[in-house]
């Protein structure tokens, strides 16, 4: 039944108590109040469906506006992707969230704000991971929708603190709480089972010296917090003219933090150098791809003879069979090590000779043969190297390039010693370490995806690693943004740990970084089949991140918890305001609409 009070600008709750009948406003001696009926064009504008929702032209406009807002939310969430390589607009990261924040703060209700957060999260995840389409295919969209749910509580937090006309207290709190909420999103999605920490907002600042100094104190997490804080301050400047002082104070505080990190945190102390060769054979597909990759890497490695190297690093999957079970391969690698007078760190993607299953393993080979030092990859790429819940999601292998067989996981990190060579033995004798039969530095290997995890490189350094080595392959995503993004992660890992990082790939991009995170020499691009020799500075400095770990994440948990507790206790309520009364309900249970 249509509500007779549903006129434009009038609501049945206004001027009438829910308990009053329809004749409550009848004037004595007069007939009942006449409600004008809709004209030919009014019915579509003012009518309502049985559930109370508008229909006709008014409802159509509302639906179009809602759809437009939803599409805008998706687009706003995708904007930060431009700050990452390959576009590499690092400065854009400090503004990229502003449109999204402004959209959320104008949401008419918490439910709409949550929807804006979810849709923006979908846009963010899809844009940052779009290069996974060859592996995930159609599954990338539902995965984005699942991960996008993480932005629902963040959107509620944003609207709660800066929506409407926020007080100075709320706005000031937002400068700390909004970045903290974003950090908790990054914490949750950093779990390997949810895809791992790819696309952390702070990683977009990999080539900014001040940001790298900040990373040495609190890891990539602290850089993310600064970036989101700047976005929040800019949003306050644009959205709340009466609170521009808060926005300016926020920007000034962020600038002070960045300046303190840039000029107050010292560069790692250099204690020596290490000469590392990166071998990048290029793309070789097909049934004989493994053999052709090996042959090309062998040819490139021979060209390094006489260059006085400390280590030669091959990319991921450079060896297609386990040398421990293939004496012919082991002999070829041993001879190659002798020829260049340097140990080889190769990567094996094959079934292990001593146990069932396929492993991806970093294997050290010296002039005397296999050293027995081996690291099996611990954190695998979902869908690329294993299918989560294969019994349920195994159908994904019918699309794209998902893993046909799950790889097996390693059980522990490994720090390797460089085996002695002809030159190395003489140097060891001179510095008094000949009895160890090995040379420094100790090597901490990571395989591909693992370089995205800050804790893994930190743990290797705490175990004594002086050189971090990443063996990678992004050949499946050769024409995408992925190779450049992956190589950039090594800069963050170097800055966080104060140790040089050599990032060697099968197909590019290969690069090397010093202990301060700055790149050493040019990169080997995805069109190269070549070698690169880099002399990397060594350092024994202990960074704040290595010493204190993920303390920004703990701080974010404390901040968000405190804000939620304060909100529940009414600490942000304006003076003199009272809790909102619950709306009256009729016997039929309809709030505020007793006639429906």
């Amino acid at each position: 039944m249509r509500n007779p009070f549903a006129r434009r600008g009038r609501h049945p709750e206004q001027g009438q108590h829910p308990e009053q009948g329809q004749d409550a406003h009848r004037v004595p001696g007069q007939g009942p109040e006449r409600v004008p009926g809709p004209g030919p064009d009014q019915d579509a504008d003012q009518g309502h469906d049985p559930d109370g929702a508008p229909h006709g032209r008014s409802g159509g406009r509302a639906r179009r506006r809602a759809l437009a807002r939803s599409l805008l939310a998706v687009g706003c969430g995708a904007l930060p992707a431009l700050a990452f390589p390959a576009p590499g607009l690092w400065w854009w990261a400090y503004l990229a969230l502003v449109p999204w924040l402004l959209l959320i703060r104008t949401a008419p209700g918490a439910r709409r704000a949550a929807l804006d957060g979810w849709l923006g999260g979908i846009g963010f995840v899809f844009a940052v991971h779009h290069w996974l389409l060859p592996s995930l295919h159609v599954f990338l969209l539902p995965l984005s929708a699942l991960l996008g749910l993480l932005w629902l509580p963040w959107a509620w937090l944003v609207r709660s603190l800066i929506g409407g006309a926020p007080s100075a207290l709320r706005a000031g709190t937002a400068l700390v709480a909004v970045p903290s909420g974003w950090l908790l999103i990054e914490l949750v999605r950093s779990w390997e089972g949810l895809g791992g920490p790819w696309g952390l907002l702070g990683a977009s600042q990999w080539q900014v010296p001040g940001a790298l100094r900040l990373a040495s104190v609190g890891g990539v997490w602290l850089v993310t917090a600064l970036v989101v804080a700047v976005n929040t301050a800019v949003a306050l400047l644009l959205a709340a003219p009466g609170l521009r002082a808060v926005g300016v104070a926020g920007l000034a505080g962020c600038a002070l933090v960045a300046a303190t990190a840039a000029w107050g945190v010292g560069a790692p102390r250099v204690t020596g150098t290490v000469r590392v060769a990166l071998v990048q054979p290029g793309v070789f597909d097909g049934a004989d791809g493994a053999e052709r990759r090996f042959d090309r890497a062998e040819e490139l490695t021979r060209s390094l003879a006489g260059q006085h190297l400390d280590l030669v690093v091959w990319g991921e999957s450079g060896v297609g069979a386990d040398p421990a079970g293939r004496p012919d391969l082991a002999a070829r690698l041993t001879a190659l090590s002798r020829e260049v007078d340097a140990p080889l760190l190769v990567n094996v993607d094959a079934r292990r000779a001593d146990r069932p299953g396929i492993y991806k393993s970093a294997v050290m080979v010296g002039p005397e043969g296999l050293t027995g030092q081996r690291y099996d990859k611990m954190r695998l790429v979902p869908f690329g190297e294993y299918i989560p819940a294969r019994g349920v999601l195994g159908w994904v292998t019918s699309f794209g390039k998902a893993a046909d067989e799950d790889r097996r996981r390693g059980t522990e990190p490994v720090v390797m010693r460089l085996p002695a060579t002809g030159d190395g033995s003489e140097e060891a004798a001179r510095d008094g370490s000949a009895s160890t039969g090995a040379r420094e530095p100790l090597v901490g290997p990571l395989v591909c995806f693992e370089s995205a995890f800050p804790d893994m490189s930190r743990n290797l350094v705490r175990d004594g690693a002086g050189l971090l080595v990443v063996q990678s392959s992004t050949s499946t995503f050769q024409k995408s943004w992925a190779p450049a993004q992956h190589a950039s992660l090594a800069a963050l890992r170097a800055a966080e740990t104060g140790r040089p990082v050599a990032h060697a790939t099968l197909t590019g991009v290969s690069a090397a970084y010093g202990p301060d995170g700055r790149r050493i020499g040019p990169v080997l691009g995805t069109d190269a089949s070549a070698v690169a020799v880099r002399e990397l500075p060594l350092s024994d400095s202990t960074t704040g991140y290595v010493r204190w770990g993920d303390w920004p994440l703990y701080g974010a948990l404390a901040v968000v918890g405190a804000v939620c507790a304060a909100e529940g206790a009414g600490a942000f309520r304006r003076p003199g305001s009272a809790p909102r009364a619950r709306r009256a309900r009729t016997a039929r249970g309809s709030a505020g609409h007793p006639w429906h």
Side-chain angles (χ1 to χ4, degrees), residues 78-93 127-131 198 203-207 479-486 488:
L79 290 177
L82 299 176
F84 296 92
L89 305 177
W90 63 266
W91 53 268
W92 173 242
V128 172
H129 297 84
H130 74 275
W131 49 270
W198 195 281
S204 65
Q205 307 302 295
W206 66 277
Q207 55 186 329
K479 303 298 183 179
S480 73
W481 297 354
Q485 285 187 21
H486 198 184
S488 71

Coordinates of all heavy atoms in Angstrom, one line a residue, residues 78-93 127-131 198 203-207 479-486 488:
A78 N 42.3 1.8 -8.2 CA 43.4 1.4 -9.2 C 44.5 2.4 -9.4 O 45.5 2.1 -9.8 CB 42.7 1.0 -10.5
L79 N 44.2 3.6 -9.0 CA 45.2 4.7 -9.3 C 46.6 4.5 -8.7 O 47.6 4.8 -9.4 CB 44.6 6.0 -8.7 CG 43.4 6.6 -9.5 CD1 42.9 7.9 -8.8 CD2 43.8 6.9 -11.0
P80 N 46.7 3.9 -7.5 CA 48.1 3.8 -6.9 C 49.0 2.8 -7.8 O 50.2 2.9 -7.6 CB 47.9 3.1 -5.5 CG 46.5 3.6 -5.2 CD 45.7 3.6 -6.5
A81 N 48.4 2.0 -8.6 CA 49.3 1.1 -9.4 C 50.2 1.8 -10.3 O 51.3 1.3 -10.7 CB 48.4 0.2 -10.3
L82 N 49.9 3.1 -10.7 CA 50.8 3.9 -11.5 C 52.1 4.3 -10.9 O 53.0 4.7 -11.5 CB 50.1 5.1 -12.0 CG 48.8 4.9 -12.9 CD1 48.1 6.2 -13.2 CD2 49.1 4.1 -14.1
A83 N 52.1 4.2 -9.5 CA 53.4 4.6 -8.8 C 54.4 3.5 -8.9 O 55.6 3.7 -8.6 CB 53.0 4.9 -7.3
F84 N 54.0 2.2 -9.2 CA 54.9 1.1 -9.2 C 55.6 1.0 -10.6 O 55.0 1.5 -11.6 CB 54.2 -0.2 -8.9 CG 53.7 -0.2 -7.5 CD1 52.4 0.2 -7.2 CD2 54.4 -0.7 -6.5 CE1 51.9 0.1 -6.0 CE2 54.0 -0.7 -5.2 CZ 52.7 -0.3 -4.9
P85 N 56.7 0.3 -10.7 CA 57.2 0.0 -12.1 C 56.2 -0.9 -12.8 O 55.5 -1.6 -12.1 CB 58.5 -0.7 -11.8 CG 58.9 -0.4 -10.4 CD 57.6 -0.1 -9.7
A86 N 56.0 -0.8 -14.1 CA 56.9 -0.1 -15.0 C 56.6 1.4 -15.2 O 57.5 2.2 -15.5 CB 56.9 -0.7 -16.4
P87 N 55.3 1.9 -14.9 CA 55.2 3.4 -15.0 C 56.1 4.1 -14.1 O 56.7 5.1 -14.5 CB 53.7 3.6 -14.6 CG 53.0 2.3 -14.9 CD 54.0 1.2 -14.7
G88 N 56.3 3.6 -12.9 CA 57.3 4.2 -12.0 C 57.1 5.6 -11.6 O 58.1 6.3 -11.3
L89 N 55.8 6.1 -11.5 CA 55.6 7.5 -11.1 C 55.6 7.5 -9.6 O 54.5 7.7 -8.9 CB 54.2 8.0 -11.6 CG 54.1 7.9 -13.2 CD1 52.7 8.3 -13.6 CD2 55.1 8.7 -13.9
W90 N 56.8 7.4 -8.9 CA 56.9 7.3 -7.5 C 56.2 8.4 -6.8 O 55.6 8.2 -5.7 CB 58.3 7.1 -7.1 CG 59.2 8.4 -7.4 CD1 59.9 8.6 -8.5 CD2 59.3 9.5 -6.6 NE1 60.5 9.8 -8.4 CE2 60.1 10.4 -7.2 CE3 58.8 9.9 -5.3 CZ2 60.5 11.7 -6.7 CZ3 59.1 11.1 -4.8 CH2 60.0 12.0 -5.5
W91 N 56.3 9.6 -7.3 CA 55.7 10.8 -6.6 C 54.2 10.7 -6.6 O 53.5 11.3 -5.7 CB 56.1 12.1 -7.4 CG 55.8 12.0 -8.9 CD1 56.6 11.6 -9.8 CD2 54.6 12.3 -9.5 NE1 56.0 11.6 -11.1 CE2 54.7 12.1 -10.9 CE3 53.3 12.8 -9.0 CZ2 53.7 12.3 -11.8 CZ3 52.3 13.0 -10.0 CH2 52.5 12.8 -11.3
W92 N 53.6 10.0 -7.5 CA 52.1 9.9 -7.6 C 51.6 9.1 -6.4 O 50.4 9.3 -6.0 CB 51.7 9.1 -8.9 CG 50.3 8.8 -9.0 CD1 49.7 7.6 -9.1 CD2 49.2 9.7 -9.1 NE1 48.4 7.6 -9.2 CE2 48.0 9.0 -9.2 CE3 49.1 11.1 -9.0 CZ2 46.7 9.5 -9.2 CZ3 47.8 11.7 -9.1 CH2 46.7 10.9 -9.2
A93 N 52.4 8.3 -5.7 CA 51.9 7.5 -4.6 C 51.5 8.5 -3.5 O 50.6 8.1 -2.7 CB 53.1 6.7 -4.0
A127 N 44.5 -4.0 -10.4 CA 45.5 -3.2 -11.1 C 46.9 -3.6 -10.8 O 47.8 -3.7 -11.6 CB 45.3 -1.7 -10.8
V128 N 47.2 -3.8 -9.5 CA 48.6 -4.1 -9.1 C 49.0 -5.5 -9.5 O 50.2 -5.8 -9.7 CB 48.7 -4.0 -7.5 CG1 50.1 -4.4 -7.0 CG2 48.5 -2.5 -7.2
H129 N 48.0 -6.5 -9.6 CA 48.3 -7.8 -10.0 C 47.8 -8.2 -11.4 O 47.8 -9.4 -11.7 CB 47.7 -8.8 -9.0 CG 48.2 -8.6 -7.6 ND1 47.7 -7.7 -6.7 CD2 49.2 -9.3 -6.9 CE1 48.3 -7.8 -5.5 NE2 49.2 -8.7 -5.6
H130 N 47.5 -7.3 -12.2 CA 47.0 -7.6 -13.5 C 47.9 -8.5 -14.4 O 47.4 -9.2 -15.2 CB 46.6 -6.3 -14.3 CG 47.9 -5.6 -14.8 ND1 48.6 -4.8 -14.1 CD2 48.5 -5.7 -16.0 CE1 49.6 -4.3 -14.8 NE2 49.6 -4.9 -16.0
W131 N 49.2 -8.4 -14.1 CA 50.1 -9.2 -14.9 C 50.0 -10.7 -14.6 O 50.6 -11.6 -15.3 CB 51.5 -8.8 -14.6 CG 51.8 -8.6 -13.1 CD1 51.6 -7.5 -12.4 CD2 52.3 -9.6 -12.3 NE1 52.0 -7.8 -11.1 CE2 52.4 -9.1 -11.0 CE3 52.7 -11.0 -12.4 CZ2 52.9 -9.8 -9.9 CZ3 53.2 -11.7 -11.3 CH2 53.2 -11.1 -10.1
W198 N 52.9 -8.5 -2.3 CA 53.2 -7.8 -3.6 C 52.4 -6.6 -3.6 O 51.2 -6.6 -3.3 CB 52.9 -8.7 -4.8 CG 53.5 -8.2 -6.0 CD1 53.1 -7.2 -6.8 CD2 54.7 -8.7 -6.7 NE1 53.9 -7.1 -7.9 CE2 54.9 -8.0 -7.9 CE3 55.7 -9.7 -6.4 CZ2 56.0 -8.2 -8.7 CZ3 56.7 -10.0 -7.2 CH2 56.9 -9.2 -8.4
A203 N 56.6 0.1 -1.3 CA 57.6 -0.5 -2.3 C 57.7 0.4 -3.5 O 58.6 0.3 -4.3 CB 57.2 -1.9 -2.7
S204 N 56.7 1.3 -3.7 CA 56.8 2.2 -4.9 C 57.9 3.2 -4.7 O 58.2 3.9 -5.7 CB 55.4 2.9 -5.0 OG 55.2 3.8 -3.9
Q205 N 58.4 3.4 -3.5 CA 59.5 4.4 -3.3 C 60.9 3.8 -3.3 O 61.8 4.3 -2.7 CB 59.2 5.0 -1.9 CG 57.8 5.6 -1.7 CD 57.5 6.6 -2.8 OE1 58.1 7.7 -2.8 NE2 56.5 6.3 -3.7
W206 N 61.1 2.7 -4.0 CA 62.3 2.0 -4.0 C 63.5 2.8 -4.5 O 64.7 2.4 -4.2 CB 62.2 0.7 -4.9 CG 62.0 1.0 -6.3 CD1 60.8 1.3 -7.0 CD2 63.0 1.0 -7.3 NE1 61.0 1.5 -8.3 CE2 62.4 1.3 -8.6 CE3 64.4 0.8 -7.4 CZ2 63.0 1.4 -9.8 CZ3 65.1 0.9 -8.6 CH2 64.4 1.2 -9.7
Q207 N 63.3 3.8 -5.3 CA 64.4 4.6 -5.8 C 64.6 6.0 -5.2 O 65.3 6.8 -5.7 CB 64.3 4.8 -7.3 CG 62.9 5.4 -7.8 CD 62.8 5.4 -9.3 OE1 63.8 5.4 -10.0 NE2 61.5 5.2 -9.8
K479 N 56.2 -9.6 -20.9 CA 55.8 -8.4 -21.6 C 55.0 -7.5 -20.6 O 54.3 -6.5 -21.0 CB 54.9 -8.7 -22.8 CG 55.6 -9.5 -23.8 CD 56.8 -8.8 -24.4 CE 57.5 -9.7 -25.5 NZ 58.7 -9.0 -26.1
S480 N 55.0 -7.8 -19.3 CA 54.2 -7.1 -18.3 C 55.1 -6.2 -17.4 O 56.3 -6.1 -17.7 CB 53.4 -8.1 -17.5 OG 54.3 -8.7 -16.6
W481 N 54.5 -5.6 -16.4 CA 55.2 -4.8 -15.4 C 55.9 -5.6 -14.4 O 56.7 -5.1 -13.6 CB 54.2 -3.9 -14.7 CG 53.5 -2.9 -15.5 CD1 53.7 -2.6 -16.8 CD2 52.4 -2.0 -15.1 NE1 52.8 -1.7 -17.3 CE2 52.0 -1.3 -16.2 CE3 51.8 -1.8 -13.9 CZ2 51.0 -0.3 -16.2 CZ3 50.8 -0.8 -13.8 CH2 50.4 -0.1 -15.0
A482 N 55.7 -6.9 -14.4 CA 56.2 -7.8 -13.3 C 57.7 -7.8 -13.2 O 58.3 -7.7 -12.1 CB 55.6 -9.2 -13.4
P483 N 58.5 -8.0 -14.3 CA 59.9 -8.0 -14.2 C 60.5 -6.8 -13.5 O 61.4 -6.9 -12.6 CB 60.4 -8.2 -15.6 CG 59.3 -8.9 -16.3 CD 58.1 -8.2 -15.7
A484 N 60.1 -5.6 -13.9 CA 60.6 -4.4 -13.3 C 60.2 -4.3 -11.9 O 61.0 -3.8 -11.0 CB 60.2 -3.2 -14.1
Q485 N 59.0 -4.6 -11.5 CA 58.5 -4.6 -10.2 C 59.3 -5.5 -9.3 O 59.7 -5.2 -8.2 CB 57.0 -4.9 -10.1 CG 56.1 -3.8 -10.6 CD 54.7 -4.1 -10.3 OE1 54.3 -4.9 -9.5 NE2 53.8 -3.4 -11.1
H486 N 59.5 -6.7 -9.8 CA 60.3 -7.7 -9.0 C 61.7 -7.3 -8.7 O 62.2 -7.4 -7.6 CB 60.3 -9.1 -9.7 CG 60.6 -10.2 -8.8 ND1 60.8 -11.5 -9.2 CD2 60.8 -10.3 -7.5 CE1 61.0 -12.3 -8.2 NE2 61.1 -11.6 -7.1
S488 N 62.8 -4.3 -8.5 CA 62.8 -3.1 -7.6 C 62.7 -3.6 -6.1 O 63.1 -2.8 -5.2 CB 61.6 -2.2 -7.9 OG 60.4 -2.7 -7.6

